[in-house]
């Protein structure tokens, strides 16, 4: 995983968790994606968490500021969804 992917605005999509979780969960075959996002948000791990879907998909949840402790990434304290270097990275935000 390359930090340049997280700092390049062309690679990052900012998404409201309300709109993202159900739709993306269905596409990947992760029925409880919303709950897993909430659980990870409340207790993030520095190396993130890999979730496998039923449609031959795996995603990594991570908080960039924990994963790259020396970097200063815009919204790096939020939960991000990483699919691989060839895909967009989703930075999630929760409504206030």
């Amino acid at each position: 995983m390359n930090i340049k992917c997280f700092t390049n605005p062309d690679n990052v999509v900012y998404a409201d968790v309300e709109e993202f979780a159900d739709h993306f969960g269905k596409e990947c075959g992760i029925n409880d994606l919303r709950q897993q996002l909430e659980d990870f948000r409340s207790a993030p791990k520095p190396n993130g968490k890999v979730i496998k879907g039923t449609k031959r998909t795996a995603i990594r949840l991570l908080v960039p500021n924990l994963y790259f402790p020396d970097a200063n990434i815009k919204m790096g304290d939020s939960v991000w969804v990483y699919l691989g270097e060839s895909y967009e990275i989703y930075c999630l935000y929760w409504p206030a």
Side-chain angles (χ1 to χ4, degrees):
M1 198 174 326
N2 188 337
I3 192 168
K4 290 180 183 178
C5 294
F6 291 84
T7 57
N8 182 345
D10 293 335
N11 294 339
V12 179
V13 175
Y14 297 93
D16 183 328
V17 73
E18 299 287 339
E19 297 174 12
F20 177 83
D22 291 334
H23 179 70
F24 196 78
K26 287 177 186 174
E27 284 186 24
C28 295
I30 304 171
N31 296 330
D32 63 341
L33 180 58
R34 175 60 190 256
Q35 185 59 50
Q36 293 206 43
L37 290 168
E38 294 290 346
D39 293 346
F40 185 77
R41 180 182 183 212
S42 66
K45 297 177 179 144
N47 289 330
K49 176 183 178 181
V50 175
I51 302 171
K52 294 182 181 180
T54 60
K55 297 183 178 180
R56 303 179 95 186
T57 307
I59 63 173
R60 179 184 296 271
L61 306 181
L62 62 101
V63 175
N65 286 350
L66 294 176
Y67 196 88
F68 304 105
D70 297 330
N72 185 15
I73 298 172
K74 179 181 175 184
M75 291 187 65
D77 56 346
S78 188
V79 175
W80 292 43
V81 177
Y82 180 78
L83 295 130
E85 290 188 17
S86 300
Y87 299 94
E88 296 171 321
I89 305 168
Y90 296 92
C91 172
L92 303 180
Y93 57 90
W94 275 252

